[in-house]
Amino acid sequence: MRYGVLSDVHGNLPALRAAVARLRFEGVDRWLCAGDIVDYGPQPNECVAEIAALDPVCIAGNHELVALDELPSDRFSWRARQALEWTRTALSEDSRRYLTALPRIASLPGLVMAHGSLADPEEYIRTEAHAQAQLEQLGREHADARVLVLGHTHRSLLYGSTSGLLDVSYTEAMPFAAGERYVVNPGSVGQSRDRERQPRARFALLELPDDGPGSVRFFAEHYDHGAVTEALRAARLPKDSVHVRPGKVASIRRRIRRLLTPG
């Protein structure tokens, strides 16, 4: 089975379409979406419709849960809170129905998918210790699963129960070892948090055959970020919602812009 793995689309339609087009070119049997289809970006309904048309196995991310008042917004950043109210008013009834029906966790043959962690859609799994704890929990609760798909961090990640944290390759498939469990995070389709000149859409192709350990290939695809920036401007949303650069300098600049922005 070849899974096209998407996560953290965040209302960015050009990025989503670029990701889907590339995965269709590579060949996909089934689609997975690890949540956060909406919020931050200016095209939530369009992205929900595009995802729904794929007929994926899809779970709710924390941004869906907050937008639907199923989680409080107290963990949200100022940027997320600013976008939240706009998203709540922009969501159509069809989008709300689709998002409301999403589960928080999904289980398929050989894999389990959650947004933040197995227990908490708002938990960030970034370190080796956190990833190892997730795999131990996976073994206790889902003994037949060998892959845990997560989102939420906006950073691509591959961690093996024996091999540890692996350097992600964007040039070739990374094979799995027999008998080993893995955490796979495809990265964010719609809101890059990598240090790069132009934001890219990140996603993955996960192959889990019945007769072998399988592999994962990560992608970082160019897309028309100018189009989504214009849509953000038209919606009066922060234009850097598609690309939150890491680092202290970028963080200081964002805080200064916030203080200088009227209202």
Side-chain angles (χ1 to χ4, degrees):
M1 183 71 73
R2 289 165 65 87
Y3 294 100
V5 189
L6 309 167
S7 188
D8 298 277
V9 174
H10 285 299
N12 187 336
L13 187 62
L16 175 58
R17 286 179 170 170
V20 170
R22 179 60 187 270
L23 286 170
R24 279 183 169 148
F25 175 81
E26 297 293 334
V28 169
D29 300 313
R30 198 169 187 184
W31 297 88
L32 304 178
C33 179
D36 278 6
I37 305 169
V38 304
D39 212 17
Y40 287 124
Q43 297 143 323
N45 296 311
E46 295 88 340
C47 288
V48 170
E50 291 272 334
I51 290 290
L54 299 174
D55 191 25
V57 177
C58 187
I59 59 171
N62 64 308
H63 282 260
E64 278 87 35
L65 295 170
V66 173
L68 298 170
D69 293 316
E70 295 182 28
L71 279 180
S73 62
D74 54 355
R75 294 194 196 179
F76 269 17
S77 67
W78 71 269
R79 179 183 289 98
R81 289 178 179 173
Q82 184 174 352
L84 173 64
E85 294 308 315
W86 182 91
T87 300
R88 281 174 168 165
T89 61
L91 282 175
S92 67
E93 287 304 312
D94 285 346
S95 294
R96 287 182 178 276
R97 278 192 292 271
Y98 183 84
L99 298 176
T100 299
L102 296 177
R104 297 195 184 196
I105 192 168
S107 181
L108 293 87
L111 72 88
V112 171
M113 181 169 60
H115 182 65
S117 73
L118 286 166
D120 182 357
E122 295 188 289
E123 183 179 3
Y124 289 95
I125 303 303
R126 295 187 178 115
T127 68
E128 294 196 54
H130 289 155
Q132 184 61 37
Q134 286 296 293
L135 290 182
E136 291 171 2
Q137 183 176 351
L138 183 72
R140 294 192 300 269
E141 298 176 358
H142 305 273
D144 294 334
R146 58 186 190 269
V147 175
L148 174 60
V149 174
L150 300 176
H152 191 49
T153 66
H154 293 222
R155 304 298 294 270
S156 304
L157 178 142
L158 180 61
Y159 177 86
S161 54
T162 301
S163 52
L165 195 62
L166 298 164
D167 291 332
V168 169
S169 170
Y170 290 104
T171 60
E172 58 188 2
M174 302 181 70
F176 295 153
E180 192 166 358
R181 285 193 170 96
Y182 291 88
V183 174
V184 173
N185 189 322
S188 174
V189 170
Q191 194 200 65
S192 170
R193 293 184 185 172
D194 284 78
R195 190 173 285 105
E196 54 195 1
R197 184 176 179 82
Q198 295 183 344
R200 298 188 185 189
R202 285 175 168 78
F203 48 95
L205 180 64
L206 176 63
E207 188 161 7
L208 291 180
D210 294 331
D211 57 352
S215 65
V216 63
R217 183 178 175 188
F218 294 91
F219 296 85
E221 193 82 352
H222 289 288
Y223 68 92
D224 186 359
H225 60 89
V228 74
T229 300
E230 287 300 316
L232 284 165
R233 185 177 292 112
R236 306 188 76 174
L237 292 168
K239 67 178 183 179
D240 59 353
S241 288
V242 298
H243 189 192
V244 181
R245 291 178 175 84
K248 291 182 179 179
V249 173
S251 178
I252 291 169
R253 287 174 178 168
R254 289 194 294 270
R255 290 172 186 170
I256 292 171
R257 283 198 301 271
R258 181 189 175 192
L259 291 173
L260 295 177
T261 300

